[in-house]
Amino acid sequence: MPTSAIDAQDAAAIQAVTEGVAVCDRSFFGRIRVSDDDRIRFLHNQSTNDFQSLKPGQGCDTVMVTSTARTIDLVTAYVLEDAVLLLVSPNRREFIMQWLDRYIFFADKVQLTDVTAENATFSLIGTESHGIIKKLGAESIIGQPYGTHVIVNGNLIIAVGSGLASPGYTLIFPTSEKEKLWNQILELGAVELSDRAWDTLRILQGRPIPEAELTDDYNPLEVGLWQTISFNKGCYIGQETIARLNTYKGVKQNLWGIRLSGFAEIGSAIAVGDEKVGKLTSYTQTADGHFGLGYIRTKAGGVGLKVQVGETEGEVVAVPFVSHEYPSV
């Protein structure tokens, strides 16, 4: 949901992210297994990142886009020995299964399997998450690049990256192990983070989600997902539009955080004076105040810009999950 509010327990869990470690059950996300001989080439051609440069044990974030480079979903991919496991947004699981299936042609050796029901996903989030990872037997990935992963005890995938801008790890494992592993992680000192608190954190950090920041109205460069895009990989769906926007610096709007003076309705116009310059896409309230995400026209300005969001005053701030710097040549 693009709107969230938190209670005292959630506030304590969010505090743990900055001072300790929290654990969030992200099993409501979808998991799609892509297998068979052509799986890497296939995914390379269907999304923005460079799959052909990845080896088993590595991973990346990538964006599924339309032929006109409009955003469908932000997906995390883990390259296993015999498959690629995709972690997709909850409200995009069935759509992505159907969408990918449309691009599998007769000669392609690609198999898609929805394994959401068979597997569960936890995120460990926070500066102290490394200690728990050591005790779970995955010390070797500490300090490694995002998406690096190992398999522990034959069925527990532990990967670098919390799914947010905060440091942490993602765990994927059989659903039958869920209760046991959850209790073990809590005993090791993690604080429970609800899905509501997860949504608040993702708004504060600028992680976009489908039907809010990821829609037919926006492309990945406007979102600020530069880290998910390879400009050297050759053709893929939406590639021409993305390449042109980068070459000619044609991004016309950017996703920003907005520190708000009070409540603001999702979908409210963002204005500077009498001029509409954007739209609010997500909103949350925390112990520290009101906060939102919204797209603002590039020409209007960025960090420090004073705006009116509906009837509420706001100030534009940077959010750590996204970037608005064109890559250096």
Side-chain angles (χ1 to χ4, degrees), residues 34-40 82-84 108-111:
V34 186
S35 58
D36 219 335
D37 294 349
D38 294 330
R39 61 189 182 276
I40 297 294
D82 58 349
V84 179
D108 292 335
K109 293 182 179 179
V110 178
Q111 298 290 327

Side-chain angles (χ1 to χ4, degrees), residues 65-80:
V65 294
T66 68
S67 58
T68 54
R70 302 299 181 171
T71 54
I72 296 171
D73 196 12
L74 172 63
V75 174
T76 304
Y78 302 109
V79 179
L80 311 175

Side-chain angles (χ1 to χ4, degrees), residues 13-60:
I14 289 173
Q15 187 71 17
V17 168
T18 59
E19 297 178 356
V21 56
V23 58
C24 182
D25 183 354
R26 290 177 65 202
S27 300
F28 56 96
F29 276 65
R31 287 161 293 279
I32 297 172
R33 182 180 175 90
V34 186
S35 58
D36 219 335
D37 294 349
D38 294 330
R39 61 189 182 276
I40 297 294
R41 177 188 59 78
F42 175 74
L43 289 170
H44 189 82
N45 292 339
Q46 306 307 322
S47 68
T48 57
N49 219 329
D50 182 359
F51 278 82
Q52 291 184 342
S53 68
L54 297 176
K55 297 178 174 60
Q58 297 179 321
C60 68

Side-chain angles (χ1 to χ4, degrees), residues 155-173:
N155 60 12
L156 169 59
I157 300 170
I158 302 180
V160 176
S162 66
L164 296 169
S166 300
Y169 300 86
T170 298
L171 286 61
I172 303 175
F173 51 91

